[in-house]
Amino acid sequence: MTDPIKASDTPAIESGAADAPTEIDEAEQRMLSARARAYRRARTVSVIGTFVILAFGCFYIAQSLILPVILAFLLALVFSPVVRTLARYRIPQSLTALAIVLTLTASVLAGIYGLSEPVSKWIDDAPKIERQLRLRLADLGGPLEKLRDVQKQVEEATNQNDQADTQKVVVQEPTMISQAARGAPEIVAGIALMLVLLLFILSSGDMVYEKMVRALPTFGDRRKGLRIAHDIEREVSRYLLTISAINIGLGIIIGSLLAIVGMPNPVLWGIVAAILNFVPLLGAVVGIGIVGMVALVSMPTTTAALLPPAIYLACTALEGQFLTPALVGNRLRINSVAIILAIAFWGWIWGFIGVLVAVPLLIVMSVFAKHVEGLGGLREMLGPNNNNGN
C-alpha cells in the first residue's frame, strides 16, 4: 500500500528538479547577453576611437587643403545672412558674394602692403633689438651673464688646444625671411582656394544646406539637420561678427593710446592686438608680453617702458571683464577649461590658424551636442559650470 505522504511529496521533488535547470539556463543567458553587450560596446568604442585618431591624423597631414576649406565655410556662415538679407531686396546673390569676396581680397592685400614695411623693419633690426633687450635686462640677468662668461672662457681655452688646421663646419639656420619666402606660394594658394570656395558657397545660397539635408534618410532627420544647420549659422555668425567688432574697436583704442605715449609703429600693435584678441584668455597675455618687450627696447627709460604694457593690460582687462561678457556671454556658454584645451589642441594641429578657429569649432560642436541625443556627455563637458544655480 502506497504511503500518501510520500506520494504527495514526489511531484514536488520532481517539479523542483525540473525548475532548477531552467533557472540555471536563464542565468547563463543573462550572463551571455551581458557579455555580448559589453563586447558590442567595446567594439563600438574601438571603432569610434580609431576613426577619431585617423581623422585627426588626416587633419594634420592635409592641413594645407583642409584649413582653407574650413575658413571658407566659417566665413560663409558669417556672410550668408548678409547675402540672404540683400536677396530679399532683389539683389542677386552672386553679385553680393562677388562684392564680399572682392572686399576681403582688397582687405588682405591692403593689410599685407601696409604691414610689410614695419614687419620687415622689425625683422631686420632683430639683432639690434636683442642686444638692447639684454642691456635693459642686465640687472635681472647678472648671474646668467656670469655663467655665460665662464662658458665663453672654457670654450676659448678648449679652442686654443685644437690644431691650427682644424676646419669648423657651421650650420646656418634659415632666417625668418627665407622661411616666409619658402612658404609664401602655399599661403597664397590657400588664400586663393579659400576665396574661390567662399564665392561659390555664397553664390549658391542654401544649396549646400539642401544637399546635406537630402542625404539624411528620414523626414524627421532632415528637419533636425536643417535646424542644426541654421542654428550653427546663427550662433557662429553672431559670435564672429560681435567679436570682430569688439576686436577692431580694441585695436583702434590700443593703437591710439600707444601712439600718444610714443610707442613706435602704433598701427602695427593695434592690428596685432585686434588679431590676438580672437584667442580668448591667452591672446591678451601674449600681446602684453610682446608689447612689453618692444617697449623695453624702444622707450627711453624703464619707467616709460612700463606704460605701453600697462595700457594694453588695462584695455584688455576692461574688454574681457565687462564688454565681451555683456555682448557674448549669453551666447557663448562654454566653460573656460574646454576653451583652453581646444586652443591648445587645434594650435598643436594647425598652428596659429588653429588657435583662431578653435572657439568657432567649439561652438559648432556645442550646437551638435545640443540637438543630438547621443551626445549628452559632450554637451555636459562643453557646458558651463552650473554649481552656482544658474
Side-chain angles (χ1 to χ4, degrees), residues 28-60:
E28 290 180 353
Q29 289 178 0
R30 287 195 298 268
M31 183 174 63
L32 293 175
S33 177
R35 288 181 179 177
R37 287 196 300 269
Y39 173 74
R40 287 195 299 267
R41 189 180 300 111
R43 184 178 59 184
T44 302
V45 171
S46 63
V47 170
I48 294 175
T50 304
F51 173 78
V52 170
I53 293 174
L54 292 176
F56 286 142
C58 292
F59 289 162
Y60 179 77

Side-chain angles (χ1 to χ4, degrees), residues 159-174:
N159 292 333
Q160 290 177 358
N161 296 329
D162 293 340
Q163 296 180 358
D165 56 349
T166 301
Q167 296 182 355
K168 295 182 179 180
V169 178
V170 178
V171 179
Q172 185 176 3
E173 297 182 355

Side-chain angles (χ1 to χ4, degrees), residues 45 90 96 151 170 192 198 228 250 268 309 319 346 349 358 382:
V45 171
R90 300 184 181 277
T96 306
Q151 182 181 2
V170 178
L198 176 63
I228 291 174
L250 179 68
L268 173 63
E319 174 268 332
W346 292 113
I349 293 290
L382 297 180

